[in-house]
Amino acid sequence: MARVEAAQARGDRRDWAAERRARTRHLIELGGLIHKAGLVELLEDDRATLLGLLLVAAGQLRDNGDEPPDVLRARWRHAGLRAFQDEREAAEGVVSP
């Protein structure tokens, strides 16, 4: 019985089910980025501290920080793109200068 229900759930093509799966995948990917950044280990999996960090970053983007949000966003994006590039090169065995 459970197998039949599981198969039906996987095959459910209704819009709400597809939207729920897409949202779940998106949230898992975001969690993966937090893990990839090393924050889970650095903060010893302290979720309150992690949430505080994200709230501070969000506050800075709401123009409550020392730098304009566009500058922060550009700096953070550059760092993220560089990390993705380094990871890609490491997987391919290429040494970055």
Side-chain angles (χ1 to χ4, degrees):
M1 185 72 146
R3 285 187 200 153
V4 172
E5 290 174 357
Q8 287 174 341
R10 281 191 305 273
D12 194 347
R13 298 291 181 229
R14 289 180 271 190
D15 289 341
W16 65 269
E19 289 173 9
R20 187 184 75 225
R21 282 191 298 272
R23 179 179 181 273
T24 300
R25 179 181 176 92
H26 181 73
L27 293 174
I28 290 169
E29 289 172 350
L30 292 174
L33 291 174
I34 288 171
H35 187 271
K36 186 178 285 206
L39 291 172
V40 175
E41 294 81 17
L42 287 171
L43 299 176
E44 298 174 354
D45 203 11
D46 183 346
R47 293 165 191 208
T49 303
L50 182 58
L51 177 59
L53 169 75
L54 295 171
L55 290 171
V56 168
Q60 289 177 341
L61 289 176
R62 288 188 187 100
D63 207 16
N64 296 330
D66 297 336
E67 295 184 70
D70 292 346
V71 172
L72 287 173
R73 201 174 293 116
R75 182 183 314 132
W76 295 344
R77 179 172 172 74
H78 177 74
L81 290 173
R82 181 62 189 196
F84 281 135
Q85 181 66 31
D86 290 347
E87 181 183 46
R88 191 175 310 115
E89 290 174 357
E92 294 172 355
V94 177
V95 176
S96 181

